[in-house]
């Protein structure tokens, strides 16, 4: 909740430039793409925003007025007027910044957030037993099912593409609904015992439905998500958290991509002879067909 000055608790006492203080209000919030556009407009036009009504701001950003209200409440304010009052305080207490300084601060903050996510992942890998055991279980699942929908698909595709080099049968599910249902059933009938699910914000309901169906079929689920306290954590047999960067217009998946690489390595280490044979076969094929330059 906002404090008496109108700032959410996380922003109380924020120091630094006006850009850094606005970024502090946005930090760690799960915002929709439309809400992030509003946040970006605040950063770029802070001195103007403090004189705008919610209707004016919505018109300038190209969103609806209720979107502006939801944005303010997502930051912990009672409404847009409380947010605007907080922004006035930032403007009155800040030193003017050039557009170049604003952009640099924003980019630097986004990179710093990703560094923090990678540091948290490094702490997870300090005791690698869970990763090693998960790799062993996934290596033994034949087929191995991989699920990734919407923005989570990019990380799932990277994992599946890499895992196919060292595992005999990796099946990527990238479509929801009955298509996913059919693929899960076929994989289970073919002998699959595990599914790796990538479920990153914003959490797609259709992905949760597919995970529930997989469990109903008897598949165990290794879930890669951004936070160990997600409400659907109980749907996972193994939960592997990797933080997601949320300072840009769309989420950044640096840490989940590294975690995907660690999982592939764990699968490779679990079956070293198979891994070596498959890598050699692929290398021979790529040389004979000129896959790479």
């Amino acid at each position: 909740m906002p404090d008496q000055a109108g700032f959410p608790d996380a922003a109380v006492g924020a120091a630094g430039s006006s850009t850094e203080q606005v970024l502090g209000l946005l930090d760690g919030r799960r915002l929709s793409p439309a809400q992030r556009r509003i946040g970006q407009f605040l950063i770029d036009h802070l001195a103007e925003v403090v004189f705008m009504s919610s209707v004016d701001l919505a018109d300038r950003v190209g969103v609806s007025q209720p979107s502006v209200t939801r944005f303010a409440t997502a930051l912990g304010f009672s409404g847009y007027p409380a947010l605007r009052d907080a922004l006035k305080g930032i403007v009155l207490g800040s030193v003017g910044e050039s557009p170049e300084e604003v952009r640099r601060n924003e980019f630097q903050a986004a990179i710093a957030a990703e560094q923090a996510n990678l540091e948290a992942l490094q702490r997870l890998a300090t005791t690698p037993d869970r990763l090693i055991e998960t790799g062993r279980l996934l290596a033994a699942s034949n087929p191995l099912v991989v699920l990734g929908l919407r923005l989570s698909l990019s990380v799932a595709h990277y994992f599946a593409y890499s895992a196919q080099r060292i595992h005999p049968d990796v099946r990527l599910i990238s479509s929801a609904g009955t298509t996913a249902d059919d693929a899960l059933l076929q994989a289970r009938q073919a002998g699959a015992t595990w599914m790796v699910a990538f479920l990153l914000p914003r959490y797609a309901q259709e992905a949760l439905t597919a995970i529930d169906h997989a469990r109903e079929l008897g598949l165990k689920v290794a879930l890669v998500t951004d936070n160990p306290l997600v409400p659907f954590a109980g749907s996972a047999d193994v939960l592997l958290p990797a933080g997601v960067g949320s300072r840009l217009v769309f989420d950044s998946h640096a840490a989940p991509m590294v975690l995907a690489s660690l999982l592939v390595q764990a699968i490779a280490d679990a079956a070293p002879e198979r891994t070596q044979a498959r890598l050699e076969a692929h290398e021979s094929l790529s040389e004979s067909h000129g896959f790479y330059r």
Side-chain angles (χ1 to χ4, degrees), residues 26 98 115 119 136 152 247 252 272:
L26 303 174
S98 69
Q115 289 173 331
E119 288 169 1
R136 185 187 68 79
S152 300
R247 285 186 176 267
S252 177

Side-chain angles (χ1 to χ4, degrees), residues 177-276:
T178 56
T179 300
D181 293 342
D182 288 345
L184 287 168
L185 178 59
Q186 291 169 10
R188 182 61 175 147
Q189 291 175 336
T193 54
W194 278 85
M195 177 174 77
V196 183
F198 293 86
L199 187 50
L200 305 170
R202 302 166 70 191
Y203 313 116
Q205 178 58 49
E206 54 201 7
L208 290 169
T209 300
I211 290 172
D212 289 342
H213 186 209
R215 292 178 62 84
E216 290 170 1
L217 291 172
L219 287 167
K220 293 187 177 298
V221 177
L223 177 62
V224 176
T225 190
D226 65 311
N227 190 321
L229 301 179
V230 289
F232 45 85
S235 297
D237 297 279
V238 174
L239 193 148
L240 299 169
V244 165
S246 59
R247 285 186 176 267
L248 304 174
V249 175
F250 292 100
D251 283 342
S252 177
H253 294 160
M257 288 291 280
V258 173
L259 179 53
S261 293
L262 295 177
L263 278 176
V264 172
Q265 183 65 49
I267 294 171
D269 293 343
E273 294 181 359
R274 182 180 73 183
T275 296
Q276 186 62 29

Side-chain angles (χ1 to χ4, degrees), residues 17-152:
S17 68
S18 61
T19 299
E20 291 170 336
Q21 292 183 64
V22 175
L23 286 170
L25 294 177
L26 303 174
D27 193 26
R29 309 290 180 176
R30 295 257 55 94
L31 303 177
S32 69
Q35 290 171 338
R36 294 186 192 186
R37 284 166 53 199
I38 300 171
Q40 184 61 59
F41 189 88
L42 262 58
I43 292 170
D44 294 339
H45 306 279
L46 181 59
E48 298 177 52
V49 171
V50 297
F51 298 104
M52 291 182 182
S53 68
S54 60
V55 174
D56 293 335
L57 179 57
D59 184 62
R60 288 289 299 277
V61 179
V63 298
S64 66
Q65 189 276 332
S67 294
V68 173
T69 300
R70 288 193 292 269
F71 171 77
T73 57
L75 298 188
F77 294 94
S78 59
Y80 176 71
L83 169 60
R84 186 174 57 187
D85 288 344
L87 296 175
K88 286 180 181 178
I90 292 175
V91 170
L92 291 174
S94 68
V95 177
E97 300 171 274
S98 69
E100 292 77 13
E101 289 173 324
V102 169
R103 185 62 62 191
R104 182 174 66 250
N105 289 340
E106 177 191 357
F107 288 165
Q108 288 176 333
I111 294 171
E114 287 294 7
Q115 289 173 331
N117 289 333
L118 289 170
E119 288 169 1
L121 184 60
Q122 185 179 33
R123 290 192 292 272
L124 173 69
T126 301
T127 52
D129 293 353
R130 182 162 47 146
L131 280 170
I132 293 171
E133 176 61 14
T134 301
R136 185 187 68 79
L137 294 169
L138 299 181
S141 179
N142 192 10
L144 173 61
V145 184
V146 181
L147 174 70
L149 304 178
R150 298 184 180 270
L151 278 179
S152 300

